[in-house]
Amino acid sequence: DTGVSQNPRHKITKRGQNVTFRCDPISEHNRLYWYRQTLGQGPEFLTYFQNEAQLEKSRLLSDRFSAERPKGSFSTLEIQRTEQGDSAMYLCASSIGGKMEAFFGQGTRLTVV
Amino acid sequence: AQTVTQSQPEMSVQEAETVTLSCTYDTSESNYYLFWYKQPPSRQMILVIRQEAYKQQNATENRFSVNFQKAAKSFSLKISDSQLGDTAMYFCASGAFSGSARQLTFGSGTQLTVLP
């Protein structure tokens, strides 16, 4: 299957720990997005890559958050010193240049205890 | 800046009936796109239908169609012949190719339940 893949699917961590999520986009898609979704809400934009360049970051992305996309392939999202408010579903999506619609992965559900 | 508003948190419909989900939006972009995504319980977001703002004709995809009213900034989704598998959270979203609008902006969603 060539859909967007995210790992892990679930992550439980203690407050203060660091966590890292991975996203593998659809292979020919040069754009990659990270969103955060809390229960009962729509996804909120976090950051956007075009190839390996991080072109936009939301104000939601505090200094504890960092994202990378080395070589324009997979991407990682790291959260340092996690807080309970970071508990959410983290969604990755990808799209191809010239097309606006994004294809989403199944998400990583983070629970900070 | 873009905003998307879905004023119906929950809706239900009988199987085989028709239901319409509402969405209003606001954008400063002249060339933008509108989408409806479906998110079944514990499953990934799936694109249902898309509409380019420059097209006057309403998009249709099988049982799904939209009513795009550009002047009113309204973008509703009609589901005909509802099926149990249509039960999901539905999100309206907007996006454009310029500036900060390159990402999608989502509404808060409408939980649709199809009743047998």
Side-chain angles (χ1 to χ4, degrees), chain A residues 1-6 23-35 45 47-51 69 72-75 91-107, chain B residues 35 37 44-47 50 97 102-104 106:
Chain A
D1 185 275
T2 58
V4 178
S5 176
Q6 291 188 246
C23 171
D24 287 273
I26 295 171
S27 59
E28 65 268 26
H29 286 190
N30 61 336
R31 296 180 179 178
L32 186 147
Y33 307 81
W34 285 99
Y35 290 83
F45 170 74
T47 190
Y48 156 65
F49 290 84
Q50 182 162 308
N51 299 312
R69 193 184 182 197
S73 55
F74 70 93
S75 175
L91 298 171
C92 176
S94 69
S95 68
I96 196 165
K99 298 268 186 191
M100 193 68 229
E101 58 264 42
F103 295 85
F104 284 81
Q106 291 185 295
Chain B
F35 304 90
Y37 279 87
Q44 69 195 92
M45 196 96 67
I46 302 166
L47 177 65
R50 61 171 270 171
F97 278 113
R102 278 177 290 189
Q103 73 274 15
L104 296 175
F106 287 84

Side-chain angles (χ1 to χ4, degrees), chain B residues 4 20 23 31 33 47 51 62 84 92 94 102 106 109:
Chain B
V4 178
T20 298
C23 172
N31 184 19
Y33 297 75
L47 177 65
Q51 173 81 42
N62 301 313
L84 296 178
C92 178
S94 70
R102 278 177 290 189
F106 287 84

